[in-house]
Amino acid sequence: MAGYVGILVSDPWLQNQFTQVELRSLKSHFMTIRRESGGLTLADLPAKMSRLKHVGENLTEQEIASFLQDTYKNLDDVDFEIFLRVYLKLQAHASARMGTGAKNSSAFLKSPTSTLLHTISESEKASYVAHINNYLAEDKFLKQYLPIEPSTNNLFEIAKDGVLLCKLINVAVPGTIDERAINTKRVLNPWERNENHTLCLNSAKAIGCTVVNIGTQDFIEGRRHLVLGVISQIIKIQLLADLNLKKTPQLVELVDDSKDVEELMSLPPEKILLRWMNFQLKKTAYKKTVSNFSSDVKDGEAYAHLLNILAPEHSNPSTLTVKDPLERAKLVLEHADRMGCKRYLTAKDIVEGSPNLNLAFVAHIFQHRNGLSTQTKQISFLETLPDDTQISREERAFRFWMNSLGNSTYINNVFEDLRNGWILLETLDKLSPGIVNWKVASKPPIKLPFRKMENCNQVVKIGKQLKFSLVNIAGNDIVQGNKKLILAYLWQLMRYNILQLLKNLRFHSHGKEITDSDILVWANAKVRTSGGQSHMASFKDKSLSDGIFFLELLSAVQSRVVNWSLVTKGENEEEKKMNATYIISIARKLGCSIFLLPEDITEVNQKMILTLTASIMYWFLKQPVEDRPCGASDSETGSQSETISSLTTDDTSSESSTDENGNR
């Protein structure tokens, strides 16, 4: 991989300013605009650079032009390295204009994507090390390396083989990674280590982390700010896991009546945590409202009142009478210790207002003692709410997929967060650059309802342009949060993305459209030619529930990836789930970015089965011919490309056309 970066950029200093993912993305952008302009000069740069996210968000085209004229007097031809230097200078200029505080402040929700600030917080590192030492202390493989000493950089050394991060993901969301897929030899070769990091990154995306600008090489090189950024997101997901009505139905106590329950269900976990904290503080003499985990808790008073109401038996009267905020913070932490609450921050972290560590502290308090009662009336009301597991699973898959694309706003609930249309427009522009007319789009915050409608109308218009089936969908359906219709749109958007990726591999498809039928034919051909015995009649073929077909398909594209001694016969539900979990982890380990759950395989969710198959196909076709298993060649895929026909984007195509193929 390092050699690949060297080919892109020969200057070592420039190489160190970017991750591999950033370099590849910028190279692609550079080549695109160079083709558009038939070359690239200084005069071309302002218009082109304004399309880059970190530049265009903060500087107008005129400001970019003025800055470049002052910095570079004359450039007849801009090569890639000059392009990168200009990009860095514009980023620095934008940061200087905006101030570094707001844009680059550390936050759990923000992935650390800045190429300018590579500093890390020693307090946060110490906190995360303590968390890892606590939750992974009994792990059979890691106990030889734990506890980690927080004052050293041992964390980044231990993380270099990928095992620690994979295990941490499973602590945050149990069962995400099938540990049978993790390479856990004492000494890993570069290939095995890379597989672990690929598995980690794809699994992190699948639980809701944003890892847009992070590649496997960043872990191998121990880039501290990037490793810590991923760890912080994983730990946040773990700490906030119980802050929803499904896990903690007692949270309905926070709302006054049943009308507010749906609003509560749509809030992001940290907002629910703040609401819970203020709900408890209303029972005390504390009169302020806590609106953040930084400045509002720095003096320690809110914490003192909160712990007094939750655990009065451990209270210390001095906590509220001392004048020094640092002394009060120390007494607060002593109170937390007495009530048995794990905490990984210091009194100094409280008074300095560290948002990540204070949020973690409050989340630990909630997990240990939330002070909520089980009111029969409210809980029984909650049971009457419709529980559509399928909608919930699809919403989760589409949400994590959209977050993985690196949009400007993190999505917590697709039914609420997409209603102004902006994130959908951003996503469409990523999948089909230039398709959005930004001149008629309104950026949040949007106060006027008709502006939201305009955004959503454009979303629907573009969908029709992309030949989505949108017979009964209007912009107003998105504004109103119509669940069924939003999911229908997102499914077609996700499907369009994977089909476009396949189409863009022109040396296989000859630039023709790829259809669901082509994916089905390819998968069956791969299994058949590798000696497999199973067959997929359609993407809703119930025989797929045992997972054997996908294990044979994965083995066909990379023979060493499946350990058949770990595969069950899939004869009962438990065996089917074991196979399904193994399939998902192996696919992610190869490099497939997928967002389905084991249940999607065992229950044969047609949509998710299609995305799984297409993702495996895309991964295989991207591999250099010499790296493929013996017998797989361009002639094989070339013969299949003869079957490629016009794209059918009607959502029914994955039902009807595949059934026909199954009967050939």
Side-chain angles (χ1 to χ4, degrees):
M1 281 291 193
Y4 178 65
V5 176
I7 293 169
L8 287 179
V9 179
S10 58
D11 186 330
W13 181 84
L14 271 177
Q15 287 184 32
N16 290 330
Q17 304 309 305
F18 300 93
T19 66
Q20 290 185 41
V21 176
E22 287 172 323
L23 272 177
R24 287 196 291 270
S25 174
L26 286 167
K27 180 71 173 182
S28 174
H29 188 81
F30 172 76
M31 296 303 291
T32 299
I33 62 179
R34 191 157 188 164
R35 280 196 301 271
E36 290 173 354
S37 307
L40 199 58
T41 66
L42 180 66
D44 299 318
L45 285 176
K48 306 301 183 185
M49 284 293 193
S50 65
R51 285 156 51 178
L52 290 170
K53 182 178 176 183
H54 295 295
V55 175
E57 281 182 351
N58 299 324
L59 298 171
T60 66
E61 192 175 319
Q62 291 73 24
E63 288 170 333
I64 295 170
S66 175
F67 176 76
L68 292 180
Q69 286 291 348
D70 293 340
T71 310
Y72 300 93
K73 298 302 179 189
N74 188 25
L75 280 177
D76 292 329
D77 185 49
V78 177
D79 63 18
F80 183 48
E81 292 199 3
I82 292 174
F83 178 81
L84 291 177
R85 291 178 187 280
V86 171
Y87 176 62
L88 286 172
K89 283 185 178 292
L90 285 171
Q91 272 197 317
H93 181 55
S95 293
R97 294 233 5 231
M98 298 296 291
T100 56
K103 268 288 182 192
N104 297 299
S105 60
S106 175
F108 270 118
L109 274 185
K110 302 277 186 184
S111 177
T113 57
S114 169
T115 59
L116 299 174
L117 298 181
H118 287 178
T119 58
I120 65 168
S121 162
E122 289 297 325
S123 291
E124 288 190 21
K125 184 184 77 172
S127 171
Y128 304 149
V129 165
H131 185 95
I132 289 166
N133 287 341
N134 181 47
Y135 282 93
L136 290 171
E138 300 305 313
D139 184 87
K140 290 180 181 177
F141 178 80
L142 290 173
K143 62 171 36 177
Q144 59 189 313
Y145 304 109
L146 300 181
I148 300 168
E149 174 52 52
S151 63
T152 69
N153 284 325
N154 290 351
L155 169 64
F156 308 109
E157 288 301 313
I158 295 170
K160 282 184 177 180
D161 67 6
V163 177
L164 173 69
L165 293 171
C166 287
K167 300 272 189 178
L168 191 61
I169 286 171
N170 269 356
V171 169
V173 183
T176 299
I177 296 176
D178 189 323
E179 298 209 357
R180 296 173 295 175
I182 305 173
N183 298 321
T184 53
K185 292 191 308 190
R186 186 66 62 92
V187 179
L188 300 178
N189 62 42
W191 178 266
E192 292 166 330
R193 188 174 55 184
N194 189 69
E195 283 185 332
N196 279 351
H197 289 309
T198 303
L199 173 59
C200 163
L201 286 172
N202 282 319
S203 300
K205 283 193 286 186
I207 65 169
C209 295
T210 303
V211 292
V212 176
N213 287 335
I214 305 174
T216 58
Q217 193 68 19
D218 297 313
F219 290 118
I220 293 166
E221 293 171 1
R223 290 200 170 202
R224 299 187 304 160
H225 65 295
L226 296 177
V227 174
L228 212 61
V230 173
I231 289 173
S232 72
Q233 292 185 79
I234 296 169
I235 291 175
K236 179 208 169 184
I237 287 167
Q238 177 191 343
L239 293 179
L240 300 181
D242 292 339
L243 280 150
N244 61 71
L245 288 170
K246 195 170 184 180
K247 291 278 187 72
T248 312
Q250 297 92 335
L251 283 167
V252 293
E253 192 179 345
L254 305 186
V255 296
D256 294 327
D257 55 54
S258 58
K259 290 188 300 182
D260 299 325
V261 173
E262 285 211 29
E263 181 203 341
L264 185 68
M265 291 170 74
S266 70
L267 289 176
E270 48 270 69
K271 294 287 186 187
I272 296 178
L273 192 62
L274 280 171
R275 184 175 284 202
W276 166 79
M277 187 174 180
N278 286 309
F279 174 80
Q280 298 296 354
L281 288 173
K282 282 180 182 176
K283 303 173 186 175
T284 71
Y286 191 75
K287 299 304 178 190
K288 299 176 186 175
T289 298
V290 177
S291 59
N292 59 61
F293 294 107
S294 182
S295 57
D296 286 1
V297 294
K298 286 169 73 170
D299 60 11
E301 288 186 25
Y303 283 151
H305 285 284
L306 177 67
L307 294 180
N308 281 349
I309 195 69
L310 293 176
E313 70 276 19
H314 299 300
S315 63
N316 180 342
S318 303
T319 310
L320 289 171
T321 58
V322 294
K323 301 297 182 187
D324 181 19
L326 188 63
E327 282 303 310
R328 185 182 300 114
K330 288 177 182 176
L331 292 171
V332 163
L333 294 180
E334 287 174 10
H335 191 161
D337 284 340
R338 287 194 297 274
M339 62 187 277
C341 177
K342 296 225 173 271
R343 45 92 182 176
Y344 307 123
L345 82 172
T346 65
K348 185 182 176 188
D349 296 324
I350 292 177
V351 298
E352 288 183 351
S354 170
N356 285 355
L357 298 183
N358 278 295
L359 181 144
F361 181 46
V362 179
H364 275 296
I365 295 170
F366 177 86
Q367 284 185 343
H368 187 74
R369 189 177 298 193
N370 62 39
L372 298 172
S373 63
T374 26
Q375 294 186 11
T376 312
K377 183 179 177 183
Q378 287 175 304
I379 299 297
S380 60
F381 163 75
L382 196 61
E383 290 169 355
T384 66
L385 290 175
D387 179 28
D388 195 321
T389 306
Q390 186 66 29
I391 284 181
S392 176
R393 285 217 306 263
E394 289 191 5
E395 187 275 337
R396 174 190 180 278
F398 298 144
R399 170 164 39 98
F400 290 163
W401 167 67
M402 291 184 76
N403 282 331
S404 76
L405 299 174
N407 289 310
S408 63
T409 306
Y410 189 90
I411 305 167
N412 290 287
N413 182 305
V414 298
F415 306 127
E416 292 298 321
D417 297 348
L418 303 186
R419 288 171 63 172
N420 62 23
W422 181 260
I423 302 174
L424 281 168
L425 289 173
E426 278 193 332
T427 304
L428 285 161
D429 197 56
K430 284 180 184 293
L431 304 188
S432 184
I435 202 167
V436 176
N437 182 355
W438 292 111
K439 292 179 180 177
V440 297
S442 299
K443 186 176 182 179
I446 305 172
K447 294 181 180 178
L448 300 173
F450 79 92
R451 295 293 186 195
K452 297 179 184 178
M453 185 73 79
E454 285 178 343
N455 282 354
C456 292
N457 283 339
Q458 187 178 178
V459 166
V460 173
K461 180 182 176 183
I462 293 171
K464 290 177 179 176
Q465 190 178 331
L466 297 175
K467 300 178 182 171
F468 292 178
S469 176
L470 301 173
V471 179
N472 295 314
I473 299 181
N476 190 50
D477 293 311
I478 299 172
V479 176
Q480 296 298 322
N482 185 308
K483 293 183 179 181
K484 185 177 179 181
L485 297 182
I486 288 174
L487 290 180
Y489 190 98
L490 291 178
W491 157 238
Q492 293 182 84
L493 195 58
M494 182 192 249
R495 181 166 163 269
Y496 169 81
N497 181 37
I498 189 67
L499 292 176
Q500 283 299 107
L501 290 173
L502 287 166
K503 177 190 171 185
N504 290 339
L505 296 171
R506 293 184 180 276
F507 53 96
H508 294 291
S509 70
H510 306 300
K512 296 179 182 177
E513 305 287 1
I514 299 278
T515 67
D516 298 354
S517 302
D518 298 321
I519 297 168
L520 186 78
V521 169
W522 174 85
N524 280 321
K526 286 303 303 172
V527 170
R528 185 174 61 253
T529 55
S530 67
Q533 301 300 308
S534 51
H535 176 81
M536 173 166 57
S538 73
F539 295 116
K540 58 180 182 179
D541 184 342
K542 292 300 179 185
S543 71
L544 298 173
S545 66
D546 62 11
I548 301 300
F549 177 84
F550 289 108
L551 289 163
E552 290 189 340
L553 178 59
L554 288 162
S555 184
V557 300
Q558 179 56 265
S559 56
R560 59 183 287 278
V561 79
V562 177
N563 182 345
W564 285 100
S565 66
L566 302 176
V567 175
T568 75
K569 292 181 180 179
E571 293 177 342
N572 55 49
E573 290 306 311
E574 184 181 348
E575 288 187 350
K576 288 178 179 180
K577 186 161 186 181
M578 286 179 69
N579 283 353
T581 307
Y582 191 44
I583 288 163
I584 292 170
S585 291
I586 290 172
R588 287 178 180 149
K589 183 177 175 178
L590 273 182
C592 299
S593 183
I594 49 176
F595 300 89
L596 72 166
L597 294 170
E599 292 82 357
D600 292 316
I601 296 176
T602 59
E603 296 172 14
V604 193
N605 179 330
Q606 176 185 337
K607 295 175 183 177
M608 295 300 125
I609 293 290
L610 170 59
T611 60
L612 172 62
T613 314
S615 296
I616 297 170
M617 180 181 179
Y618 178 65
W619 177 85
F620 175 76
L621 295 181
K622 277 196 310 179
Q623 305 311 303
V625 174
E626 60 270 18
D627 292 345
R628 294 182 192 163
C630 294
S633 66
D634 272 342
S635 60
E636 174 193 316
T637 52
S639 64
Q640 289 168 25
S641 71
E642 300 297 322
T643 68
I644 294 173
S645 55
S646 298
L647 178 63
T648 315
T649 46
D650 191 307
D651 196 33
T652 60
S653 64
S654 52
E655 296 183 17
S656 56
S657 64
T658 50
D659 282 336
E660 291 166 11
N661 277 295
N663 296 324
R664 283 179 185 174

